[in-house]
């Protein structure tokens, strides 16, 4: 056995590298698929079916509020699953998070609407959305650790980018599915027909089919072994009884830095997906463009390919030039991008072509900033609290940068105009830039350190 092959085998615990890649990427793809079908439905379906009849903006804001509820649940999920991930192991916890997310998503597909059971409908929707957040709160950090703790020396950012690809893959499948349904069922978001096939039953299909995807993900993950880094920590007797208390006592600075490193990324992504969908397809007027839903979804599906392309590029860059310098340059580019919102999204001059360019640039920046994150956040924390610490940072940032982003953006457009949404992004990215300037480089940090 060559020395490089031996190092690879030791890093992966004897599990073939392709199996680890597939397990980390397939699982996150399923989880993000589940998450994104809700995000799409929050704009196109739920305002019509799950909330009392009122004006369109109020119904949309109520729907986006339940969308944001999952982000409140995600830090809770990171604490819950992080406890077991640092106490029991990465493999078992990843299976639990996948089941939590999958069951909640399937049940959303069978929920009664407001017309059937009244106020109980949005209550049940909110509960299941909260459960989705719990599942995703435990999923990301587990997949990131699976990738980083089995990576060969000098290739952690490249190995860690594979679970990050789950985000654009899940987005593409979820929104592609909705595009096919709306086209085949003749649904028009500008003039929705409550008795048409899409709003009657078609919207449920993506939620119900998630059950099949979850079974595939379980099959892949059940064939994994525990990561060697965690196994060595257990053998040395370095597990802690209370990971949550320990991480706040020993790594509070890393928690703060990790949270704000992610804030700009989250804000960019949910502005470029959830908010802009409502801005483009909402009723034509001063606050929205009134475009056809299916037409805009095609633009998003093309743009998400740039997201996917940016992830591996930034993985390579982060391994070569370091995490801190790579992300600093990308974050400054995001701040500049924020200054373009006012003229790029001007409803009097925008065309489908210019919108595609705008979306593609935003998604490319998203891929570039998102790619290294599953290496950066785990590298900030010691082995015995790494699952808990990276998960809390990642998911607390989701509240600050994602949960409120669509809601704030809708309000900003209504009160001050679309250009202020870009200023909002610039401020969020500015907070990330400050965190990066404070953060020390983590590329050469030993993951076995406790």
């Amino acid at each position: 056995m060559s020395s490089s092959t031996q190092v690879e085998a030791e890093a992966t615990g004897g599990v073939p590298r392709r199996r680890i890649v597939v397990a980390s990427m397939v699982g996150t793809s399923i989880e993000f698929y589940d998450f994104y079908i809700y995000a799409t439905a929050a704009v196109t379906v739920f305002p019509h079916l799950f909330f009392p009849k009122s004006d369109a903006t109020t119904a949309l804001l109520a729907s986006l509020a339940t969308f944001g509820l999952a982000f409140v649940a995600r830090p809770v999920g990171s604490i819950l699953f992080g406890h077991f991930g640092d106490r029991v192991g990465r493999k078992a916890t990843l299976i639990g998070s996948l089941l939590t997310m999958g069951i909640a998503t399937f049940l959303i597909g069978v929920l009664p609407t407001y017309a059937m059971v009244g106020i109980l409908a949005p209550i049940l929707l909110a509960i299941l959305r909260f459960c989705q957040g719990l599942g995703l709160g435990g999923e990301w950090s587990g997949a990131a650790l699976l990738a980083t703790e089995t990576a060969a020396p000098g290739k952690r950012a490249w190995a860690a980018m594979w679970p990050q690809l789950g985000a654009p893959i899940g987005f593409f499948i979820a929104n592609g599915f909705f595009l096919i349904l709306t086209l085949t069922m003749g649904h028009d978001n500008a003039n929705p027909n409550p008795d048409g096939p899409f709003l009657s039953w078609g919207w449920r299909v993506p939620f119900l089919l998630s059950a099949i995807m979850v079974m595939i993900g379980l099959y892949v993950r059940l064939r994994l072994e525990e990561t060697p880094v965690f196994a060595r920590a257990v053998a040395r007797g370095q597990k802690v009884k209370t990971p949550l208390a320990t991480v706040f006592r020993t790594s509070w600075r890393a928690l703060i830095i990790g949270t704000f490193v992610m804030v700009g990324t989250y804000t960019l992504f949910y502005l470029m997906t959830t908010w802009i969908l409502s801005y483009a397809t909402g009723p034509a007027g001063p606050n929205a463009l009134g475009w056809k839903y299916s037409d805009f979804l095609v633009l998003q599906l093309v743009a998400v390919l740039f997201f996917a392309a940016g992830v591996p590029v930034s993985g390579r860059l982060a391994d070569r030039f370091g995490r801190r310098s790579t992300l600093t340059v990308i974050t400054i580019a995001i701040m500049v991008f924020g200054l373009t919102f006012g003229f790029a999204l001007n409803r009097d001059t925008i065309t489908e072509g210019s919108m595609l360019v705008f979306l593609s640039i935003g998604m490319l920046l998203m891929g570039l900033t998102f790619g290294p994150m599953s290496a950066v956040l785990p590298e900030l924390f010691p082995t015995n609290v790494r699952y808990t610490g990276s998960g809390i940072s990642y998911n607390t940032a989701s509240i600050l940068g994602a949960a409120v982003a669509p809601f704030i953006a809708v309000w900003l457009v209504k009160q001050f105009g679309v250009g202020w949404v870009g200023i909002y992004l610039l401020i969020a990215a500015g907070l990330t830039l400050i965190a990066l300037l404070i953060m020390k480089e983590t590329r050469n940090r030993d993951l076995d350190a406790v």
Side-chain angles (χ1 to χ4, degrees), residues 33 36-37 39-41 169-182 273 277 293 297-298 300-301 304:
Y33 165 85
Y36 294 149
I37 55 176
T40 301
I169 291 172
F171 181 89
F172 188 86
I173 296 173
N175 285 278
F177 208 156
F178 267 106
L179 175 62
I180 293 171
L181 286 173
T182 54
T273 54
L277 178 63
Y293 170 74
L297 206 52
V298 171
Q300 277 197 314
L301 290 174
V304 81

Side-chain angles (χ1 to χ4, degrees), residues 191-210:
N191 297 289
N193 178 10
D195 299 319
F198 179 75
L199 288 181
S200 295
W201 60 269
W203 68 270
R204 299 180 184 274
V205 176
F207 290 91
L208 299 177
L209 287 184
S210 69

Side-chain angles (χ1 to χ4, degrees), residues 38 157 179 215 285 346-347 374 401 416:
Y38 190 102
L179 175 62
M215 286 188 283
N346 187 314
R347 62 183 313 275
S374 56
F416 306 107

Side-chain angles (χ1 to χ4, degrees), residues 158-417:
W158 176 255
M161 71 88 188
W162 291 105
Q164 302 300 78
L165 279 175
I169 291 172
F171 181 89
F172 188 86
I173 296 173
N175 285 278
F177 208 156
F178 267 106
L179 175 62
I180 293 171
L181 286 173
T182 54
L183 290 176
T184 56
M185 295 182 174
H187 176 71
D188 182 2
N189 197 59
N191 297 289
N193 178 10
D195 299 319
F198 179 75
L199 288 181
S200 295
W201 60 269
W203 68 270
R204 299 180 184 274
V205 176
F207 290 91
L208 299 177
L209 287 184
S210 69
I212 298 174
M213 301 176 68
V214 168
M215 286 188 283
I216 296 172
L218 286 175
Y219 170 76
V220 173
R221 286 188 168 175
L222 285 169
R223 301 177 68 212
L224 293 175
E225 301 293 336
E226 190 52 75
T227 71
V229 171
F230 181 78
R232 288 193 292 269
V234 172
R236 293 191 298 261
Q238 293 172 329
K239 289 195 300 182
V240 294
K241 291 184 178 180
T242 54
L244 178 63
T246 303
V247 77
F248 274 102
R249 186 177 68 252
T250 64
S251 303
W252 59 268
R253 187 173 183 272
L255 285 172
I256 295 173
I257 291 174
T259 296
F260 283 98
V261 162
M262 274 297 303
V263 163
T265 301
Y266 263 126
T267 304
L268 173 63
F269 184 65
Y270 283 92
L271 290 180
M272 299 305 298
T273 54
T274 304
W275 166 73
I276 204 163
L277 178 63
S278 66
Y279 176 72
T281 65
N287 303 325
L289 301 178
W291 290 4
K292 190 175 180 180
Y293 170 74
S294 58
D295 291 343
F296 183 74
L297 206 52
V298 171
L299 300 181
Q300 277 197 314
L301 290 174
V302 173
V304 81
L305 299 177
F306 289 84
F307 179 9
V311 170
V313 170
S314 60
R316 289 292 191 197
L317 292 174
D319 274 335
R320 181 173 181 180
F321 299 107
R323 287 57 160 141
R324 187 170 177 262
S325 57
T326 299
L327 288 172
T328 296
V329 173
I330 296 167
T331 301
I332 292 172
I334 292 172
M335 296 173 70
V336 174
F337 178 66
L339 297 174
T340 68
F341 276 54
F343 66 86
L345 298 178
N346 187 314
R347 62 183 313 275
D348 295 325
T349 58
I350 193 168
T351 64
E352 287 192 5
S354 63
M355 174 65 86
L356 179 59
V357 171
F358 177 81
L359 289 173
S360 298
I361 294 173
M363 285 295 197
L364 177 61
L365 290 171
M366 177 61 200
L368 292 173
T369 186
F370 190 59
M373 290 301 177
S374 56
V376 173
L377 297 189
E379 288 169 350
L380 289 172
F381 298 93
T383 304
N384 56 357
V385 293
R386 184 170 295 132
Y387 203 125
T388 301
S390 60
I392 290 175
S393 292
Y394 182 83
N395 292 297
T396 302
S398 75
I399 296 178
L400 301 177
V404 297
F407 195 95
I408 289 176
V410 169
W411 181 81
L412 284 172
V413 173
K414 187 173 183 179
Q415 297 295 325
F416 306 107

Side-chain angles (χ1 to χ4, degrees), residues 32-61:
F32 279 106
Y33 165 85
D34 289 352
F35 211 69
Y36 294 149
I37 55 176
Y38 190 102
T40 301
V43 175
T44 62
V45 176
F46 298 149
H48 306 295
L49 299 182
F50 281 86
F51 297 94
K53 295 297 181 183
S54 58
D55 69 273
T57 300
T58 301
L60 175 61
L61 289 174

